[in-house]
Amino acid sequence: MTEKALFQARADILASALEARKQEVMHYQINIDNYTLALERIALLNPDERAELSDFADQLRGLLASEKLEQKKSLIMLEVLKAQVEPA
């Protein structure tokens, strides 16, 4: 494989990885939004219903924290990929 072909293959792989990482960040954001909205809805329920769903709300809070952390990691990797695809 020529040097030019290797450079193009690398550029193609980086572009593909960049697009995949953007999608990953978006998926995390969708989950963050869903969990946040679900917790807000639970908070509006009457006390008996809130109590009944307290374990579920706890699960949602854990999932929300996890998604936020994973999104931060993905954002770091997204920036790394952008720096390689779009050099200054």
Side-chain angles (χ1 to χ4, degrees):
M1 194 177 252
T2 67
E3 187 175 329
K4 183 178 179 181
L6 284 172
F7 180 80
Q8 185 58 51
R10 182 179 187 279
D12 292 345
I13 291 168
L14 285 170
S16 177
L18 179 64
E19 186 56 37
R21 195 60 70 166
K22 287 177 182 178
Q23 292 290 321
E24 183 180 52
V25 169
M26 180 182 63
H27 286 215
Y28 284 125
Q29 189 59 52
I30 289 168
N31 287 339
I32 289 166
D33 294 344
N34 286 339
Y35 300 150
T36 300
L37 290 170
L39 286 166
E40 289 171 1
R41 290 226 173 175
I42 291 170
L44 296 174
L45 297 173
N46 69 53
D48 290 338
E49 290 176 310
R50 279 197 314 270
E52 186 177 39
L53 293 170
S54 66
D55 287 343
F56 178 54
D58 288 343
Q59 286 176 324
L60 289 173
R61 281 188 279 279
L63 289 168
L64 179 60
S66 176
E67 293 292 303
K68 286 180 175 182
L69 177 60
E70 293 304 316
Q71 186 184 51
K72 284 180 185 179
K73 294 176 189 178
S74 289
L75 286 167
I76 289 169
M77 295 310 297
L78 177 61
E79 292 303 316
V80 168
L81 286 166
K82 281 182 180 179
Q84 293 181 71
V85 172
E86 306 160 2

